[in-house]
Amino acid sequence: MIWVDTIIQGILLGGLYALFAAGLSLVFGIMRLVNLAHGDLIILASYLILILVTATGMNPFVAAIVAAPVLFALGWLLQRFVLNRTLGDDILPPLLVTFGLSIVLQNALLEGFSADSQRISLGALETASVSVGSLSFGVIPLLTFASAIGVILGLNQLFYRTGIGRAFRATSDDATTASLMGIRPNRVFATATGIAMIVVTISALYLGTRANFDPSIGPARLIYAFEAVIIGGLGSLWGTLAGGVIIGVAQTLGAAINPEWQILAGHVAFLVVLLVRPRGLFPRGND
Amino acid sequence: MALLETQALTANYGDFQALFGVDITLERGETVAIIGANGAGKTTLMRSLSGVLQNAPEQIQHKGTPVGALPADTIMKRGIAMVPEGRRLFRSLSVEENLVIGGQHKGGADFGDRLDSLIARITGAPDPALLAGGHDGQGYWTLDTIYELFPILRERRHTPGTALSGGQQQMVAIGRALMSNPDVLLCDEISLGLAPVVIKDIYAALPKIKETGASVIVVEQDIGQAMRVADRVYCMMEGRVTLSGRSSEISREAIHEAYFGATA
Ligand SMILES: Nc1ncnc2c1ncn2[C@@H]1O[C@H](COP(=O)(O)OP(=O)(O)OP(=O)(O)O)[C@@H](O)[C@H]1O
Ligand SMILES: [Mg+2]
């Protein structure tokens, strides 16, 4: 029974990793931009939620709703005035610029908030759990997983049922021809990064409430996100969820055997999947 | 005032100059054909007219407004639609979505345009939106009328655009451009690689397209086809117009000379 419990905890943890990965995957899918600052942007969003909570005493969920449009605007501006200039045939400039951005963000957060670890408090909800038979699930992990599913459903609806989603797909296929349809690719990219920042806000809410965070942990979250995206197969959001779950389960199983193996087990699972299916479990087209 | 006009149009790819002072005009209601050998600069001319390539503003006039420097999306909103060389359907979109996206952003300045001109005013840059005026985007063409024009597309509307035959893909590309109800339709080699019977089907749509108020520029390699459909033809060679005139008035010999150069 303890194994069942461990696996379920791992699946729920996978929801968090899928959230980290969804924003990364969205941006990569539309403009082939690998945002190396993605993890740091999540930490930035966690601090923003934390500030709102401590300054006004508002509920963290409300704080996330307040933070979301701010981060949307930040993402829009970042894409519009910085990242769009780096896009082109050469993949190196966006990597260099987002790597630089990652360092800038880490140092700015360190300057602003010190290296002390922080946590967003949810009060009684933190320890709340629901029991099914002899199993008990934390409410927060359940909410995290449900949010991951909600985000993926929402993004899929956006992609396949709306005009802006159609413009996203068309621009991703062929930006020049999209411009002949009255679409300005740079605007589409800015909107996409804005939307990715809303997903970042949701990730940040759970990251900050489930565990301690400090300015330095962004890159590690980026790695989990990367692994989830690659396991899932580039471009498939449901695959990304599966990737997150695989890493989550590997980590909790590893930790159950030996607490020191938690992180390692996740990376090993990633390598194994990559060896067996180099293009990921659900390569593009199976979305 | 011509509907669309180029004046001493030049265009470059980096250091390579592809057009050397091209003058063409398109009057309302006309069909004009551009002919010329491979590499003559026909596609470059179409890219300039559609805003994919940027030129000096004055070099292209649409309804008397200099539009040479405007980006493709603004040109399209002004009512100039293009069927690009090689069809270029969106592979992630179904046939129907390919059509829908052609009309999705038609007509007038949208929120993004207004935001852009605001940013331009703040940063002091020239207003990129120089606006999409003069085109209301209303008109005859809708999904239903496109499906009437090309009935086969209705049957295939849920398949991916790129899963169709070449001729069907060309129909989608034409339909996609028509969905914005353009007043100028630019067609770059719509018959390329298609069987004669399919070419006939596609050109059969032209009278209907004209009837709804669009004026048309077609790029054609097939001289006979060009002479049949166009009121006037321009022949290009090495980035210059070497011959122009009414289809009914120019001789085969003159075209041959303009097409292949005087030595031929
Ligand atoms: N992207 C590009 N970069 C550099 N040179 C180009 C580019 N596109 C075209 N050219 C050059 O510009 C000239 C005109 O090309 P263009 O495509 O306009 O010819 P075309 O008349 O459309 O030919 P075709 O009948 O083969 O389509 C050619 O010499 C070509 O090599
Ligand atoms: Mg060409």
Side-chain angles (χ1 to χ4, degrees):
Chain A
M1 212 54 195
I2 179 96
W3 291 109
V4 175
D5 188 58
T6 305
I7 288 172
I8 290 173
Q9 301 308 330
I11 292 173
L12 296 183
L13 179 62
L16 182 66
Y17 296 159
L19 279 175
F20 293 164
L24 193 74
S25 175
L26 174 73
V27 167
F28 181 82
I30 294 173
M31 59 196 101
R32 302 287 176 275
L33 173 98
V34 176
N35 185 353
L36 294 180
H38 185 70
D40 306 288
L41 288 166
I42 296 174
I43 308 303
L44 174 75
S46 296
Y47 276 105
L48 181 59
I49 294 172
L50 180 72
I51 294 174
L52 287 169
V53 169
T54 41
T56 67
M58 67 173 76
N59 179 296
F61 288 93
V62 179
I65 292 171
V66 174
V70 176
L71 288 158
F72 176 95
L74 182 75
W76 192 94
L77 291 168
L78 176 69
Q79 186 67 44
R80 186 62 197 274
F81 292 105
V82 182
L83 299 181
N84 273 344
R85 290 162 201 254
T86 70
L87 295 177
D89 294 332
D90 189 354
I91 61 159
L92 203 54
L95 287 177
L96 289 175
V97 169
T98 56
F99 183 65
L101 180 65
S102 160
I103 293 170
V104 168
L105 281 174
Q106 283 176 54
N107 282 290
L109 290 172
L110 192 63
E111 202 58 43
F113 300 97
S114 85
D116 296 346
S117 61
Q118 306 278 359
R119 184 153 183 178
I120 301 166
S121 170
L122 276 175
L125 204 56
E126 273 170 22
T127 51
S129 62
V130 290
S131 304
V132 179
S134 62
L135 297 171
S136 115
F137 310 101
V139 168
I140 302 283
L142 280 174
L143 276 177
T144 312
F145 196 81
S147 300
I149 290 180
V151 162
I152 291 171
L153 279 175
L155 288 177
N156 272 329
Q157 287 293 311
L158 181 80
F159 261 62
Y160 296 104
R161 297 267 178 277
T162 69
I164 184 135
R166 205 153 40 228
F168 281 168
R169 285 181 289 144
T171 310
S172 153
D173 282 351
D174 181 346
T176 303
T177 305
S179 72
L180 291 171
M181 305 297 121
I183 294 166
R184 183 84 54 96
N186 279 351
R187 289 185 194 151
V188 166
F189 295 158
T191 307
T193 302
I195 292 170
M197 288 299 281
I198 291 179
V199 180
V200 159
T201 314
I202 299 169
S203 317
L205 173 70
Y206 293 112
L207 174 110
T209 51
R210 290 172 64 121
N212 290 341
F213 60 94
D214 66 65
S216 70
I217 68 166
R221 311 308 112 167
L222 175 74
I223 302 276
Y224 299 154
F226 257 133
E227 292 180 345
V229 171
I230 291 168
I231 290 178
L234 290 172
S236 162
L237 286 167
W238 291 115
T240 297
L241 180 65
V245 165
I246 287 171
I247 295 174
V249 170
Q251 286 192 354
T252 50
L253 282 177
I257 298 165
N258 180 339
E260 286 179 6
W261 291 357
Q262 176 181 353
I263 306 295
L264 182 66
H267 297 323
V268 169
F270 165 67
L271 286 176
V272 169
V273 173
L274 212 57
L275 280 175
V276 181
R277 310 229 10 191
R279 298 190 56 220
L281 297 177
F282 309 96
R284 205 182 187 107
N286 291 7
D287 212 340
Chain B
M1 184 204 313
L3 178 57
L4 188 65
E5 184 173 13
T6 66
Q7 293 168 352
L9 177 68
T10 55
N12 302 285
Y13 295 102
D15 288 340
F16 180 81
Q17 185 164 0
L19 297 182
F20 300 84
V22 169
D23 296 288
I24 65 158
T25 56
L26 174 70
E27 301 292 343
R28 281 182 183 73
E30 262 190 326
T31 300
V32 162
I34 315 278
I35 58 175
N38 294 117
K42 307 178 297 294
T43 295
T44 307
L45 173 61
M46 300 302 254
R47 288 205 192 117
S48 297
L49 292 174
S50 62
V52 171
L53 287 178
Q54 256 82 61
N55 313 83
E58 308 297 329
Q59 290 183 349
I60 303 174
Q61 311 268 339
H62 178 226
K63 298 177 179 168
T65 306
V67 298
L70 297 181
D73 61 299
T74 309
I75 294 286
M76 179 272 187
K77 287 176 191 162
R78 288 187 61 97
I80 302 174
M82 170 132 107
V83 183
E85 186 174 44
R87 322 189 241 279
R88 317 272 303 240
L89 299 190
F90 299 110
R91 65 174 179 279
S92 316
L93 272 56
S94 67
V95 166
E96 184 151 301
E97 287 180 311
N98 265 286
L99 294 174
V100 168
I101 203 161
Q104 186 174 319
H105 300 269
K106 69 188 173 193
D110 57 22
F111 175 74
D113 290 318
R114 286 199 206 95
L115 195 63
D116 260 18
S117 41
L118 185 71
I119 291 170
R121 234 172 290 149
I122 294 168
T123 57
D127 188 341
L130 195 95
L131 275 174
H135 182 61
D136 61 9
Q138 299 299 314
Y140 175 79
W141 297 110
T142 60
L143 272 182
D144 275 335
T145 51
I146 300 286
Y147 289 148
E148 264 167 45
L149 188 69
F150 300 122
I152 183 72
L153 299 186
R154 191 194 294 274
E155 287 166 37
R156 310 297 308 272
R157 65 183 182 276
H158 296 304
T159 41
T162 44
L164 300 181
S165 75
Q168 294 165 351
Q169 288 193 31
Q170 194 57 264
M171 293 173 190
V172 177
I174 294 169
R176 183 177 67 175
L178 289 175
M179 284 291 285
S180 63
N181 285 291
D183 50 30
V184 177
L185 182 69
L186 309 171
C187 300
D188 195 349
E189 302 219 31
I190 47 178
S191 54
L192 191 70
L194 302 182
V197 43
V198 181
I199 297 175
K200 206 163 141 269
D201 278 355
I202 286 185
Y203 272 104
L206 200 59
K208 182 77 209 179
I209 294 171
K210 301 294 304 287
E211 212 177 283
T212 65
S215 309
V216 180
I217 301 183
V218 293
V219 167
E220 243 322 319
Q221 294 257 8
D222 179 342
I223 299 172
Q225 183 67 263
M227 305 298 262
R228 272 194 299 281
V229 300
D231 303 307
R232 287 187 301 119
V233 283
Y234 290 91
C235 185
M236 290 182 69
M237 192 174 61
E238 293 169 5
R240 292 178 174 84
V241 173
T242 47
L243 177 73
S244 65
R246 308 208 67 79
S247 317
S248 50
E249 290 165 8
I250 29 183
S251 69
R252 286 261 159 185
E253 294 70 44
I255 288 189
H256 197 268
E257 190 178 323
Y259 202 100
F260 297 107
T263 53

